[in-house]
Amino acid sequence: MLKNSKVTLGLPHSDPVTESVADLLTLAEPLDYKSSRMSMGLSPGAQPAMGKGLLPSPGDEEGRPAWNSKLQYILAQVGFSVGLGNVWRFPYLCQKNGGGAYLVPYFILLILIGIPLFFLELAVGQRIRRGSIGVWNYVYPQLGGIGVSSLMVCGFVGLYYNVIIGWSIFYFFQSFQYPLPWAECPIRVVNGSQAIIEPECEKSSATTYFWYRQTLNITSTIEDSGGLNWKMTMSLFAAWLIVCLAVIKGIQSSGKVMYFSSLFPYVVLICFLVRGLMLKGSVDGIAHMFTPKLEKMLEPQVWREAATQVFFALGLGFGGVIAFSSYNKRDNNCHFDAALVSIINFITSILATLVVFAVLGFKANIMNEKCVVENAEKILGYLKSGVLSLELIPPHVNFSHLSAVDYQEMYGVIKTVREDSFDQLGLDPCILEDELNKAVQGTGLAFIAFTEAMTHFPASPFWSVMFFFMLINLGLGSMIGTMTGITTPVLDAFPKIRKEFLCVGCCIVAFFCGLLFVQRSGNYFVTMFDDYSAGLPLTVVVILENISVAWIYGTKRFMQDLEDMLGFRPYSFYFYMWKYVSPACLTVLIVATVIEMAVSPAGYNAWVEELASEKFLSYPPWALGVAYSLIIAAMLPLPCVFIARHFNLLSDGSNKLSVSYRKGMTKELSGLEEENESRFILGKGTPSPSPSPMPSHRPYLGPGGAQEMTNTAGYGTGTPTKTGYQNINSPESEL
């Protein structure tokens, strides 16, 4: 171009114009294709509609919060994914399903299902920068119910999950006394003078009695509500108050909380592991834990439970993962984040398992020694009364220092000689392996088995305070993610709502709804919600997420979007996982879950005061109706939204875009069209120095239908070229 051209410089002249056409066009205003009636297919005077298939500009959206640092974001994702299940569910599954052999199917399924689907949720949240409802409205509006179902499940889980935090708060404050209140059975005074041990406690144990009677004051059936338990009501109020303060400012407040709540549990677990390894019998527990039973790997049930644990351990489908990633910068390496958080979660589960079985190994040795002492006293009584002969006792056995090995030898001799009348003696074998095989999970592990083991620790109140403070922080991290999964989609849809009012309002409503769980029968409802409100609905939600991206939007397009966003193309491994393997695995998991629900009796373990033990009871018809209504309520948005949008009864959500969101799309589209204009006029075959933020190779659809619009001029190549517009009614949206 002639730099000193009079036309270029804008100077007056009377000479004939001899400059090139390209030189003349430097003074021309760029043609605005967005307002071109011909290119948009609009009549003169009509205003073009903003297409919802276009997504936000790659720049940060104006006014949307962002993480202060990458560390804060990673800790938030770790805090959400690492929860109470890592401490009391994973160790139980290891023990139940073959010890070390269980780690093989778990790790395989983590690679095949966990990391790919976790990466998928991180990617769509980061690219679209919306909560769960907004994300799936843009990927495929007819499946917009996915986000609503996620929100419903978050609500159900948050209601009872915070009750568990309330229990931990109660135990935390009860731990500031010595001896611990659950260390010994209470004494009851009868007739004003006679003192006896509480019968219910004597029949069970001190920790079991404290849990069921003094903490929950539980009824014997779900039908007997028993009224509110005021101690638990106040604990629940404290739990919701803590959660409210943590999330009231959004990620500005919750992000700071995560620095402590995500890191402190690791400090406690490491301290417990070091202390546990110093206890007698801890090695027995760890050896029992990791001794592989390889035959278990061939059982389908083991693989189903491993898949379920992988699924819930990462928090897939809840919307919290998507919500957290939506506050990231667009070019953040979410592939690295997915692998990092998944591996941290797995390592945390292994660490928690080591701690649990080191402590349970110590407890098993204590209980086995107690068993030996009690049965040795029985044998001494039989010897004194002449029921047993001294000749049955091996000569080297010393009753004052009786070891477990000596007792086993003596027990074997007596059982062989007195085979006919042995059962009448009431002797127990006192085998350490039997104690280690007593599998406990959930509240039974945290509030009974582990708590009982800590009563035998030196300085037991200190360790009890640390343990329950760890549980509070683990639960708080998960609750922050759950609440973010609820509030972020709502704030995206209704940006005029103040987040402070929304958070406080949600916590108040949740507290009053949570009163259901702090009745004396509330523990039975916690079990019901845990069994029915999340399992099947979340699995359906995640497989629909997978299908909507991999099959409706298109895996190839999604991979290209990831390359545009990350600056590199993810491994082809993810293409096949998203396209084939993950949907197949999730389908099998859904079928297995439905079959299990159909063949397993629907019921709960009730605590019977007279027997001082648990008894399985079937749900009454009304309770069974409540259980199945939880599944229906969580999944109902899926068909409702699909039908409503299929028949155009519900808008696709494009009118919910904020002003800044619209500005971002306008800016992005403008940049794309100006580049295409320059290439068309000047006939350049190379891309402009500032490449368009949107992929230029993709098909764009005209606003009036699904047919691609072409430019016969060919942008200097002589071939038809697609224009930069997409059908606003098309379900396919650019990620």
Side-chain angles (χ1 to χ4, degrees):
M1 183 179 294
L2 303 176
K3 300 299 180 183
N4 57 355
S5 164
K6 294 180 179 180
V7 175
T8 304
L9 298 175
L11 300 175
H13 62 90
S14 57
D15 300 333
V17 178
T18 58
E19 283 82 6
S20 68
V21 173
D23 196 19
L24 287 171
L25 286 173
T26 58
L27 294 178
E29 289 293 328
L31 178 61
D32 187 359
Y33 281 108
K34 296 185 296 299
S35 59
S36 170
R37 287 357 182 214
M38 182 172 61
S39 66
M40 295 295 287
L42 301 175
S43 60
Q47 295 298 321
M50 188 66 67
K52 70 166 288 299
L54 303 172
L55 291 178
S57 68
D60 291 338
E61 185 186 349
E62 298 174 17
R64 187 168 185 83
W67 298 104
N68 291 334
S69 66
K70 181 67 174 281
L71 176 61
Q72 190 180 79
Y73 165 68
I74 293 296
L75 290 178
Q77 290 287 14
V78 169
F80 176 54
S81 65
V82 175
L84 298 174
N86 296 76
V87 174
W88 66 33
R89 178 70 177 167
F90 186 88
Y92 161 76
L93 291 175
C94 278
Q95 181 183 18
K96 176 186 175 185
N97 295 316
Y102 172 76
L103 299 179
V104 176
Y106 182 88
F107 189 75
I108 291 174
L109 291 169
L110 179 66
I111 299 298
L112 297 182
I113 299 178
I115 295 179
L117 294 179
F118 192 61
F119 180 28
L120 185 146
E121 289 201 355
L122 290 179
V124 295
Q126 179 174 307
R127 181 64 178 93
I128 303 176
R129 295 179 63 78
R130 282 293 180 270
S132 56
I133 295 179
V135 160
W136 303 113
N137 275 341
Y138 282 99
V139 173
Y140 186 48
Q142 290 183 340
L143 287 181
I146 293 175
V148 183
S149 288
S150 292
L151 191 147
M152 295 286 291
V153 173
C154 278
F156 289 148
V157 171
L159 287 177
Y160 76 84
Y161 202 89
N162 220 27
V163 174
I164 301 174
I165 298 179
W167 294 341
S168 301
I169 291 173
F170 176 76
Y171 268 78
F172 172 74
F173 285 105
Q174 291 291 318
S175 299
F176 287 96
Q177 48 187 307
Y178 184 82
L180 292 170
W182 51 82
E184 297 178 354
C185 286
I187 304 298
R188 178 193 291 185
V189 178
V190 181
N191 299 326
S193 58
Q194 185 179 4
I196 62 171
I197 297 176
E198 182 66 45
E200 185 180 5
C201 183
E202 189 175 20
K203 293 178 183 178
S204 54
S205 68
T207 50
T208 304
Y209 175 81
F210 186 87
W211 167 243
Y212 282 114
R213 187 56 51 214
Q214 296 189 339
T215 302
L216 301 179
N217 194 18
I218 200 166
T219 58
S220 296
T221 66
I222 195 173
E223 297 175 285
D224 180 13
S225 70
L228 288 177
N229 181 335
W230 289 105
K231 291 185 291 186
M232 293 301 100
T233 302
M234 297 307 297
S235 298
L236 179 63
F237 176 79
W240 277 113
L241 181 62
I242 293 172
V243 170
C244 184
L245 293 175
V247 301
I248 193 168
K249 292 290 187 182
I251 63 171
Q252 281 79 14
S253 57
S254 62
K256 295 180 177 63
V257 173
M258 284 297 185
Y259 281 114
F260 182 81
S261 65
S262 296
L263 295 176
F264 179 75
Y266 290 96
V267 175
V268 177
L269 285 174
I270 292 172
C271 290
F272 262 99
L273 180 61
V274 173
R275 185 67 185 92
L277 291 175
M278 297 169 63
L279 297 172
K280 179 183 177 182
S282 61
V283 177
D284 295 329
I286 294 175
H288 175 78
M289 171 64 240
F290 287 103
T291 301
K293 302 176 181 64
L294 298 179
E295 65 278 3
K296 284 279 188 179
M297 291 178 58
L298 302 178
E299 299 179 10
Q301 177 75 2
V302 173
W303 288 83
R304 188 191 71 80
E305 292 189 344
T308 303
Q309 179 62 18
V310 167
F311 185 80
F312 289 107
L314 294 175
L316 299 174
F318 282 95
V321 173
I322 293 175
F324 279 151
S325 66
S326 72
Y327 299 114
N328 266 333
K329 294 181 179 180
R330 193 70 52 75
D331 58 352
N332 174 63
N333 188 350
C334 55
H335 174 257
F336 172 79
D337 300 343
L340 177 64
V341 174
S342 300
I343 296 302
I344 290 176
N345 189 293
F346 179 64
I347 293 174
T348 304
S349 297
I350 299 296
L351 176 61
T353 300
L354 288 171
V355 171
V356 166
F357 277 90
V359 173
L360 291 185
F362 165 69
K363 173 180 174 287
N365 271 269
I366 295 292
M367 300 306 294
N368 198 57
E369 289 177 359
K370 182 179 178 181
C371 176
V372 169
V373 171
E374 290 176 350
N375 284 273
E377 290 178 354
K378 288 183 181 180
I379 293 174
L380 282 173
Y382 292 143
L383 292 174
K384 291 178 181 178
S385 62
V387 175
L388 293 177
S389 171
L390 284 172
E391 296 177 355
L392 298 177
I393 309 302
H396 63 275
V397 171
N398 183 357
F399 277 91
S400 59
H401 299 286
L402 187 64
S403 66
V405 175
D406 290 342
Y407 174 78
Q408 289 293 329
E409 182 180 355
M410 184 169 55
Y411 176 87
V413 172
I414 295 173
K415 184 177 182 180
T416 302
V417 175
R418 300 292 300 270
E419 183 176 359
D420 297 335
S421 58
F422 180 77
D423 292 340
Q424 299 175 2
L425 298 177
L427 297 177
D428 297 318
C430 298
I431 301 175
L432 180 63
E433 190 77 10
D434 292 343
E435 285 291 336
L436 291 171
N437 281 330
K438 291 180 179 179
V440 288
Q441 65 166 322
T443 54
L445 174 62
F447 298 105
I448 298 177
F450 209 90
T451 305
E452 182 176 354
M454 287 189 296
T455 60
H456 301 287
F457 280 23
S460 55
F462 169 77
W463 294 105
S464 183
V465 167
M466 294 282 284
F467 176 71
F468 289 108
F469 194 40
M470 178 190 71
L471 292 187
I472 292 170
N473 281 277
L474 284 173
L476 180 60
S478 297
M479 275 302 300
I480 288 174
T482 301
M483 288 296 294
T484 305
I486 295 173
T487 57
T488 297
V490 176
L491 291 171
D492 289 342
F494 305 99
K496 292 184 179 180
I497 298 178
R498 289 191 60 180
K499 69 177 67 173
E500 294 86 353
F501 292 159
L502 177 62
C503 291
V504 172
C506 286
C507 291
I508 291 174
V509 171
F511 168 72
F512 283 105
C513 292
L515 294 179
L516 171 69
F517 305 103
V518 291
Q519 303 175 99
R520 291 180 58 195
S521 61
N523 188 47
Y524 305 138
F525 287 98
V526 170
T527 302
M528 176 194 293
F529 272 64
D530 191 37
D531 290 341
Y532 290 92
S533 68
L536 183 60
L538 271 186
T539 314
V540 173
V541 162
V542 173
I543 193 173
L544 289 178
E545 290 180 356
N546 194 171
I547 290 172
S548 63
V549 170
W551 288 91
I552 298 176
Y553 181 76
T555 311
K556 290 183 179 179
R557 296 177 67 196
F558 187 54
M559 292 288 283
Q560 183 60 49
D561 290 333
L562 291 176
E563 183 176 1
D564 297 335
M565 183 172 69
L566 302 177
F568 63 90
R569 192 173 187 84
Y571 300 115
S572 299
F573 164 82
Y574 291 104
F575 177 91
Y576 296 104
M577 293 300 104
W578 289 328
K579 188 80 171 180
Y580 305 110
V581 179
S582 294
C585 291
L586 290 172
T587 301
V588 172
L589 182 58
I590 289 174
V591 172
T593 302
V594 171
I595 292 175
E596 185 190 25
M597 291 177 63
V599 300
S600 301
Y604 61 102
N605 290 318
W607 178 258
V608 182
E609 182 176 359
E610 294 75 17
L611 302 176
S613 63
E614 289 184 335
K615 180 181 179 182
F616 183 83
L617 298 177
S618 298
Y619 283 122
W622 66 266
L624 199 58
V626 171
Y628 287 120
S629 68
L630 293 173
I631 299 176
I632 295 172
M635 297 175 62
L636 192 60
L638 296 169
C640 288
V641 172
F642 184 88
I643 293 171
R645 286 190 172 147
H646 181 75
F647 293 101
N648 296 320
L649 302 176
L650 183 67
S651 110
D652 60 9
S654 60
N655 60 326
K656 298 295 184 184
L657 290 174
S658 64
V659 174
S660 60
Y661 201 73
R662 293 174 185 270
K663 287 180 179 178
M665 293 194 299
T666 304
K667 180 179 178 182
E668 180 176 308
L669 185 57
S670 176
L672 174 67
E673 298 306 335
E674 288 173 5
E675 177 191 354
N676 286 343
E677 172 201 354
S678 174
R679 292 175 61 198
F680 172 73
I681 295 175
L682 301 179
K684 294 181 179 180
T686 59
S688 62
S690 300
S692 164
M694 298 295 290
S696 58
H697 67 279
R698 299 186 188 146
Y700 287 68
L701 307 179
Q707 298 298 319
E708 295 180 7
M709 298 178 63
T710 60
N711 180 354
T712 56
Y715 285 69
T717 63
T719 58
T721 308
K722 301 164 187 175
T723 64
Y725 302 100
Q726 184 178 14
N727 179 9
I728 60 174
N729 297 319
S730 170
E732 296 177 335
S733 59
E734 293 293 345
L735 290 181

